[in-house]
Structure formats: structure tokens, C-alpha cells
Amino acid sequence: MLIGMTERGPDSAGLAVFTDLLPDCLRKISLYSGSTPDGADFNWAGLTHGIREHLGIEATLEARNNHAVITVASPPEPVKHWLKERHPKLHILSTGRSIDLYKDVGTPAEVAEHYHFGNLKGSHLVGHTRMATESAVTPDRAHPFTAGEDFCLVHNGSLSNPYGIRRMLEPHGIHFETDNDTEAACRFLEWRLREGDSLEIALQKSFEELDGFFTFLMGTANQLALIRDPFACKPAVVAETDDYVAIASEFRSLAHLPDIQHARIFEPVPEEMYIWKA
């Protein structure tokens, strides 16, 4: 599906995969070493040893090129703080009990081959390929964006008030890592969820607070959600069967899917919430 959208977004690509939940005592942290001096030769074994030695936390790690998923028997915050202090060039992609995140600069085919997307397994996933319009082409500005735990968002469109959203959130202790407008939307929605809103209420508040045009696709540990702004400037098409739900910007990305000729295919209504349980 990502490769089918190459002409719409040749700059970078990413994929968030949601797997079975780990026990509550464990957390996964997805890491990217491409911005470090060592790149794909980053000393992942030494990183794991350092976490065990300096934090006294049991850690295991699965590495692939310049990407790794480290699993720790601890709340994630002490580990993330240690990583930022000791390895500031190491980019933390995601955190949670379910989510694994991969993203990089390049075409969808290049990124998919580099990280072996064909071998990934999970209950649901959120992918994106980007043509940069609002910020630089770098791995940290590629989609999906994440915030908190087990939450990600991809965005087609452009927000007109991302800095207003930042000014709203920063007094709450929420820090931003990029100048990308999508990060503002991602952190706003995750903040509302963390404050106790249901996903439906958080999405309704996004209609009230976010200005601009957007199609958002969000993933949590057990849900997928899709919304479009009131003007529906950015496209979306959904295919539903008894076996799967698939969502894309264009039908050509869905055309090869199994049993697509019998799927219920529709264009989402503007300012409507579509939520599926995984």
C-alpha cells in the first residue's frame, strides 16, 4: 500500500506496527541511530549493557541496521532520560507496550526493504509516505508521529495554528522535538487522552482547536481512528471486509488487496469520526 503512494510522497516513509501487549511491567522503546556518528554500526550491545549497569534495569534488544527495539523491565521515563543524556543523537521513535515504529528518509520501497516491512506482524498498523511541505526532510520529521505511549498519528494536509497549539501545551510541560505541524496535532490529541478524554472526545476537541485542513489516521494499542476536517480537502478512501479494514489516500493503493471486489468501499464524511477496534 505504501509503495502505491510513492508519487504522492517520495521523501520519507514510516510504519507503526501494533503487536500483542507486553505485561504491564515491561515497555518497548523504538530507537533510530542513523543520526549518530556510527549510524548502522551503532554499538547496540554496549547500549544494553549501559542501561543494565547504570540504571540497574534489565533490558533486551533486537536490532536491525540503524534501528532497534529495546525492551526494559521498568517505566520508560528513567531510560528515556538516560538515553537523551548519554546518547543525544539517538532518536527515540516510540514507547509503549504494543507499538514498534520504523521510519527513515527515502522512497517507500527503499524504506520497506531496509527495515524488512514484509516480515513485520501485528494486529494493525499505520503507515505514511511524505512529500515535505512544512518542514525539512529528516527521519524525525517523517510520519508517523508519536507521543506518550502506544499512540501515533499520520497527517495529510497543513495546519495553520501549530504554534498556537504549542503555546497552549508547553505550560503543561509538553516538549516539542520538531517544527512540524503534525507534531502539534499529535501531542494535542495524546494530551487530551492522557487527561482522561475518550478517543471520541479528544477527536471532537481537535475539530474545535485545530485550524487548517487535515486527514488524520491514528493508532492506539487497540484502535484505529480516521477523521477529516470540515472541508475534506485531503482525500481518503476506506475498504471494509469481514477480514480487514484498509485506509488509503487513493483507491489504487487498495486495488490489489484480497477480496477487494467484495469490500464495502467509501469516502469518509467530513468532520465525522470513524473508529475501529483491533
Side-chain angles (χ1 to χ4, degrees):
M1 290 177 65
L2 282 175
I3 292 171
M5 292 288 97
T6 298
E7 290 80 6
R8 292 185 63 90
D11 298 335
S12 58
L15 191 71
V17 180
F18 292 87
T19 64
D20 292 338
L21 280 171
L22 292 177
D24 191 45
C25 60
L26 300 178
R27 291 295 187 277
K28 295 190 290 184
I29 303 174
S30 293
L31 301 169
Y32 174 82
S33 66
S35 301
T36 69
D38 295 329
D41 296 322
F42 186 83
N43 184 5
W44 294 114
L47 178 76
T48 307
H49 176 75
I51 291 173
R52 292 171 179 159
E53 180 178 359
H54 294 101
L55 298 179
I57 294 171
E58 185 56 38
T60 60
L61 186 140
E62 182 178 341
R64 184 178 298 158
N65 296 312
N66 55 16
H67 179 278
V69 177
I70 186 166
T71 302
V72 295
S74 160
E77 291 309 319
V79 180
K80 291 166 66 175
H81 179 76
W82 183 85
L83 289 169
K84 290 178 180 179
E85 191 175 72
R86 296 296 183 96
H87 301 279
K89 295 291 186 180
L90 194 64
H91 185 53
I92 299 173
L93 297 172
S94 67
T95 307
R97 295 169 58 198
S98 175
I99 188 172
D100 295 338
L101 183 62
Y102 304 80
K103 59 183 182 177
D104 211 336
V105 171
T107 67
E110 291 167 343
V111 176
E113 180 180 5
H114 190 65
Y115 295 107
H116 308 292
F117 282 0
N119 297 330
L120 300 177
K121 295 181 179 180
S123 57
H124 56 296
L125 58 85
V126 176
H128 187 272
T129 178
R130 179 178 183 234
M131 182 180 69
T133 58
E134 298 293 332
S135 62
V137 179
T138 58
D140 59 339
R141 291 171 175 83
H143 299 219
F145 274 83
T146 64
E149 293 192 18
D150 292 320
F151 177 78
C152 75
L153 177 144
V154 299
H155 171 207
N156 185 6
S158 178
L159 299 181
S160 59
N161 67 334
Y163 289 98
I165 298 298
R166 290 175 69 122
R167 287 192 294 271
M168 176 198 304
L169 298 180
E170 286 172 340
H172 295 279
I174 296 172
H175 301 286
F176 287 76
E177 297 178 355
T178 74
D179 56 355
N180 193 289
D181 59 333
T182 306
E183 185 182 5
C186 181
R187 294 196 182 278
F188 172 81
L189 286 163
E190 192 276 332
W191 170 62
R192 293 313 319 157
L193 293 172
R194 186 157 35 88
E195 289 294 303
D197 288 352
S198 66
L199 185 55
E200 291 87 347
I201 292 175
L203 295 177
Q204 183 57 50
K205 289 179 178 175
S206 75
F207 288 130
E208 299 166 4
E209 297 289 349
L210 302 179
D211 289 333
F213 51 96
F214 53 83
T215 293
F216 289 147
L217 179 62
M218 289 142 284
T220 72
N222 60 1
Q223 292 177 302
L224 277 175
L226 175 70
I227 60 171
R228 303 172 78 192
D229 69 82
F231 301 100
C233 294
K234 290 300 181 178
V237 59
V238 179
E240 289 183 323
T241 73
D242 292 339
D243 297 320
Y244 65 80
V245 174
I247 304 159
S249 295
E250 297 181 22
F251 177 75
R252 61 175 169 159
S253 193
L254 308 175
H256 66 285
L257 296 177
D259 205 30
I260 189 66
Q261 65 272 22
H262 299 122
R264 174 179 174 249
I265 299 171
F266 64 93
E267 182 179 352
V269 175
E271 207 170 8
E272 188 73 32
M273 302 178 201
Y274 298 84
I275 299 175
W276 296 268
K277 302 288 186 180

